């Protein structure tokens, strides 16, 4: 795998870098960003937190707005932020160019329907291809966590729940918790996955928790949600996820924060809590 460096900047004694590479699963050139804390310059390997961004975002939104570098440097945590979808001249987009389907809206799934299935395989990209690239090219160890915001929170939850052996913890800001029941999810799943309700359930965190009854496979989850989020009731539906977790004795911590909305102002206010949560749940994996 050949990586092409796009940028490199020193920040809190570590490095923020961007790279592109040709993705085998998405059949296009992908970009990701990585923050390497100063401990790697001392010969240490460090744990890595994967951050999945939301609709319309790229690798840049979290890295530029979240304010995560200072604590990541102190704790010795690498952060990887991929793009939110495949991109390129041949990659299909929504014909109406809406923000919630197509470019910037990959929903972290493997599409099965035309014209999406050739390129939109973000699930395989996040679970397998990108971590292999990171492990082979950067001084990170096997300890991984996954986090995200909105659509990326949906991705973090579903990917973590389906692959508990790969991660130490899951966290999310304002995640889409029950996409098979909300307008964003129904639109995306219909386009990407067709009319197969069984396949839809594979990418719904609420449904995945309902069937997760094995205590050995329960990763700790932290969710932060603002009560002034204008998407809360119609799109995010955290109450459904909370009820499923309670019914299955799932270790989910839900923090409803008064007055906060859906923006990166909210994320930057509580990102340190999420980094400490990841750090406190590191294992010897």
């Amino acid at each position: 795998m050949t990586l092409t460096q796009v940028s490199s900047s020193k920040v809190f004694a570590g490095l923020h870098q961007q790279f592109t590479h040709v993705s085998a699963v998405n059949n296009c050139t992908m970009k990701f960003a990585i923050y390497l804390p100063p401990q790697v310059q001392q010969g240490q390997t460090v744990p890595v937190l994967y951050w999945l961004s939301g609709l319309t975002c790229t690798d840049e939104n979290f890295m530029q707005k979240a304010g995560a570098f200072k604590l990541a440097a102190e704790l010795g945590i690498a952060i990887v932020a991929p793009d939110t979808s495949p991109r390129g001249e041949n990659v299909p987009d929504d014909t109406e160019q809406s923000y919630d389907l197509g470019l910037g809206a990959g929903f972290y799934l493997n599409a099965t329907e035309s014209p999406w299935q050739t390129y939109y395989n973000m699930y395989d990209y996040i679970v397998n291809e990108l971590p292999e690239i990171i492990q082979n090219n950067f001084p990170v160890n096997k300890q991984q966590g996954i986090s995200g915001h909105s659509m990326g929170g949906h991705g973090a939850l579903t990917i973590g729940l389906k692959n508990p052996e790969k991660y130490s913890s899951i966290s999310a800001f304002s995640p889409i918790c029950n996409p098979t029941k909300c307008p964003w999810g129904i639109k995306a799943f219909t386009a990407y996955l067709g009319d197969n309700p069984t396949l839809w359930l594979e990418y719904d965190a609420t449904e995945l928790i309902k069937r997760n009854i094995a205590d050995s496979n329960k990763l700790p989850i932290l969710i932060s949600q603002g009560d002034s989020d204008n998407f809360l009731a119609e799109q995010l539906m955290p109450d459904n996820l909370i009820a499923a977790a309670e019914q299955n004795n799932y270790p989910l911590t839900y923090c409803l924060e008064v007055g906060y909305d859906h923006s990166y102002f909210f994320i930057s206010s509580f990102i340190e809590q999420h980094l400490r949560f990841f750090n406190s749940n590191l294992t010897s994996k």
Side-chain angles (χ1 to χ4, degrees), residues 20-85:
T20 60
H21 69 96
V22 175
S23 168
V25 298
N26 288 327
N27 290 294
C28 67
T29 297
M30 296 292 294
K31 181 191 287 186
F32 67 87
I34 185 169
Y35 176 68
L36 295 169
Q39 288 82 355
V40 304
Q41 299 175 34
Q42 303 163 8
Q44 297 182 34
T45 59
V46 295
V48 56
L49 180 66
Y50 287 87
W51 172 270
L52 308 184
S53 289
L55 292 166
T56 75
C57 292
T58 68
D59 64 289
E60 296 183 353
N61 296 73
F62 176 84
M63 293 301 202
Q64 295 182 8
K65 296 180 179 180
F69 297 145
K70 182 178 181 181
L71 185 59
E74 293 175 8
L75 297 176
I77 294 171
I79 302 173
V80 172
D83 203 345
T84 52
S85 78

Side-chain angles (χ1 to χ4, degrees), residues 136-282:
N136 289 340
N137 290 278
F138 301 96
V140 299
N141 58 39
K142 298 294 185 180
Q143 298 186 86
Q144 300 182 151
I146 192 162
S147 186
H149 171 231
S150 194
M151 177 187 71
H154 142 76
L157 288 168
T158 55
I159 287 171
L161 288 166
K162 293 174 72 170
N163 300 276
E165 74 285 354
K166 292 181 178 291
Y167 305 100
S168 298
S169 64
I170 306 167
S171 76
F173 287 84
S174 316
I176 303 171
C177 294
N178 201 178
T180 58
K181 298 290 195 298
C182 79
W184 278 342
I186 292 169
K187 178 179 179 178
F189 287 5
T190 300
Y192 295 142
L193 303 173
D195 297 322
N196 185 343
T198 301
L199 190 53
W200 285 28
L201 298 181
E202 290 297 314
Y203 298 105
D204 187 312
T206 297
E207 297 299 327
L208 291 171
I209 279 189
K210 284 181 180 179
R211 72 189 195 200
N212 189 322
I213 59 174
D215 289 339
S216 61
N217 289 328
K218 292 180 178 178
L219 293 178
I221 298 175
L222 171 64
I223 292 177
S224 294
Q225 174 64 59
D227 74 348
S228 294
D229 189 325
N230 59 326
F231 300 117
L232 180 56
E234 182 182 23
Q235 301 284 11
L236 306 182
M237 301 182 177
D239 289 346
N240 296 356
L241 183 70
I242 294 167
E246 290 176 347
Q247 292 169 6
N248 287 275
N249 195 31
Y250 204 99
L252 186 153
T253 300
Y254 180 73
C255 300
L256 186 63
E257 306 294 353
V258 177
Y260 287 91
D261 58 19
H262 198 74
S263 72
Y264 266 85
F265 294 113
F266 174 45
I267 294 171
S268 65
S269 298
F270 295 96
I271 189 60
E272 291 194 359
Q273 181 183 12
H274 284 243
L275 292 176
R276 293 190 188 281
F277 178 77
F278 169 57
N279 190 63
S280 69
N281 284 289
L282 292 176

